Amino acid sequence: MERDDLEIALIKYNKKSWCKSVVLGFFIGLAVIVPGISGSTVAIIFRLYDQFLCAISNLFKQFKRCFIFLLPIGIGAVLGLGLGFIGVKELVELLPFAFVCLFSGLMTGAFPAVYDEVREGEWTLKRIVLFAVGVFLPVAIGCVSAWLSIGMPNGSVGVQKFADIEITHILLAVLFGFVVGLTQIVPGLSASAFLMAVGWFQGLLKSVSLTYWKSNPAIFGIYLALVIGFLLGLVAFSKVLTYCFSKARRTTYSLIVGLSLGSILSMFCNGDIIMTYIGWANGGAWILEVILGVVLFALGAVGAYALVKYQRKQEAKEKTSKTEE
């Protein structure tokens, strides 16, 4: 991207747009912890996605300008990450299925914002194949993770792996961090949904405590590896998607729409949630949690879709005002 394009893409902040970016960052940080929230989908809803992608992919070329644009997003991300660890940890253990339903509802309600990008294009064979691949990948990862988790003697693959950390876990953490970075760039993907799919989600949440840190300090190697992978994935895929969008935006979005839909489905079949189903099968109470889950799913979907509709109206007003000028 040339300098002129960058100057156009990165808006100058005022109070409203600065606060808007903080809110976006909050959801990006929350998305790492909360299953179902996609930070990049929120960026699309807020109409900041192209600018967010542009700033990350050009960070080293024009550091000052891009850093200033990303600063409020970063502040919001730290706040969201902190709140996620504080609030989500207990909720996941208390009502895992209802919790997943709420955030899958949020993703479902936000899905039209992603689909808008391909609504007007023709569905060619290439786009249909990419869409199908996008749906298949997260569902397949979730099913494999569920199968592996069933084979573990005490539940989640992630919890068991962290009991005895080896070099292979560090290498996996870099890979998983890389994918988590990708989820913050690719709309519709959820970092926590991916971590659920590979069975690391609850293990990471449970590792965040002073007691665990004292007994197993090697976990900080996992954290560091995740951060390194995350940063690599964030920068690498921002450049990849910037290039793909410049060449074939709607075709690229066909894959993204599939990934978004597949991520919603995989939330109900993965290495973490499968243990909840097994608990139900062994006589655990499930009726009230299922009812609560249905209600929360509906609330999440309605709330997210209301935000999508609001942003559509705002965009329509902006187009109308520009036309009148």
Side-chain angles (χ1 to χ4, degrees), residues 27-59:
F27 279 105
I28 289 175
L30 205 60
V32 177
I33 304 300
V34 178
I37 293 182
S38 169
S40 45
T41 299
V42 175
I44 290 177
I45 296 172
F46 286 1
R47 306 304 174 194
L48 287 171
Y49 180 63
D50 287 338
Q51 298 170 52
F52 176 60
L53 204 63
C54 171
I56 292 177
S57 62
N58 289 277
L59 182 61

Side-chain angles (χ1 to χ4, degrees), residues 83-104:
L83 181 63
F85 269 116
I86 293 170
V88 172
K89 185 176 178 181
E90 299 299 326
L91 290 174
V92 170
E93 294 182 4
L94 183 64
L95 296 168
F97 181 77
F99 187 80
V100 165
C101 284
L102 171 62
F103 292 103
S104 61

Side-chain angles (χ1 to χ4, degrees), residues 171-212:
L171 296 176
L172 276 177
V174 174
L175 176 61
F176 291 166
F178 190 83
V179 177
V180 168
L182 180 155
T183 64
Q184 301 311 297
I185 295 296
V186 179
L189 293 186
S190 166
S192 43
F194 166 75
L195 291 173
M196 273 186 163
V198 296
W200 276 41
F201 180 68
Q202 289 196 27
L204 284 173
L205 278 185
K206 291 177 181 179
S207 74
V208 181
S209 70
L210 289 175
T211 302
Y212 187 91

